[in-house]
Amino acid sequence: MKDTGPETGHGGTAEDDHRRLLRSVVRTAVAIFDAQASSIALLDQADGELVFEAVAGKGEDGLVGRRFPAERGIAGWVLQSRQPVEVQDVDRDAHFARDIAESTDYVPKALMAAPLFAGDEPLGVLEVLDRSQELRAPLAAMELLALFADQASVALALVQRGRLARLTGEPEPEAEHGDAAAVRALAEEIGALDDGRRAAARRIVSDLAEVLRRRD
């Protein structure tokens, strides 16, 4: 039988927990931004590619595990520039790679993207596609995107370190205590939402807090 990692208190593996957290981030992003889709892509530095690790919304079927060159598209530019961006019209952005978008079965009209880091090390990119323009002003939306990027970075770093630990036979990594501050910041932002979105948003805090509390 294939060893998929240490079991957790829920009978799954650490990989399952971290993937659940990634899914929670993108699903909650879709709910809060009233967006058509959201995704998290992990940087595979060995192959120079971004790999979809979690997707919610339009085009999500069969997209996890798909790869595209890390230097292409708006996601590639965000990763290289280390700057978040909101593009109101992708067709007017020189970095937009329509062929990559079409391969996902959903071509957005607008998107938000933020780079994900563990310290100074690039991890990947968080994207939110076609958010509601009535929900938040651009500056407020980017501030909220930054909070989601913090949570996605925590989860993606855990996934990456966990996979490396399993390859080398080392113990699974623990979440860093400093990540709890990011959870509290997101919780405060969620508290300002309307009732309908607040309930959906609580899932991300619950899932992340569970991972942060767990110790092997």
Side-chain angles (χ1 to χ4, degrees), residues 41-53 65-72 75-76 79 122-125 160:
L42 172 69
L43 175 63
D44 182 338
Q45 294 188 353
D47 293 334
E49 294 177 321
L50 284 165
V51 187
F52 285 109
E53 289 285 343
R66 292 273 296 276
R67 294 169 170 265
F68 61 96
E71 73 279 2
R72 295 202 60 208
L79 189 64
L123 293 176
V125 178
Q160 192 176 58

Side-chain angles (χ1 to χ4, degrees), residues 103-130:
S103 73
T104 69
D105 295 328
Y106 180 70
V107 179
K109 296 178 180 178
L111 63 82
M112 306 168 67
L116 307 177
F117 294 95
D120 290 330
E121 179 185 357
L123 293 176
V125 178
L126 167 67
E127 287 191 316
V128 176
L129 309 183
D130 289 326

Side-chain angles (χ1 to χ4, degrees), residues 97-165:
R98 176 166 287 274
D99 58 328
I100 294 178
E102 289 177 345
S103 73
T104 69
D105 295 328
Y106 180 70
V107 179
K109 296 178 180 178
L111 63 82
M112 306 168 67
L116 307 177
F117 294 95
D120 290 330
E121 179 185 357
L123 293 176
V125 178
L126 167 67
E127 287 191 316
V128 176
L129 309 183
D130 289 326
R131 75 173 179 89
S132 170
Q133 295 301 310
E134 299 178 358
L135 181 59
R136 286 173 173 266
L139 180 58
M142 292 300 288
E143 290 174 347
L144 183 56
L145 180 70
L147 288 173
F148 271 90
D150 286 343
Q151 314 316 312
S153 294
V154 171
L156 209 52
L158 288 170
V159 167
Q160 192 176 58
R161 299 200 313 259
R163 290 173 181 172
L164 180 61

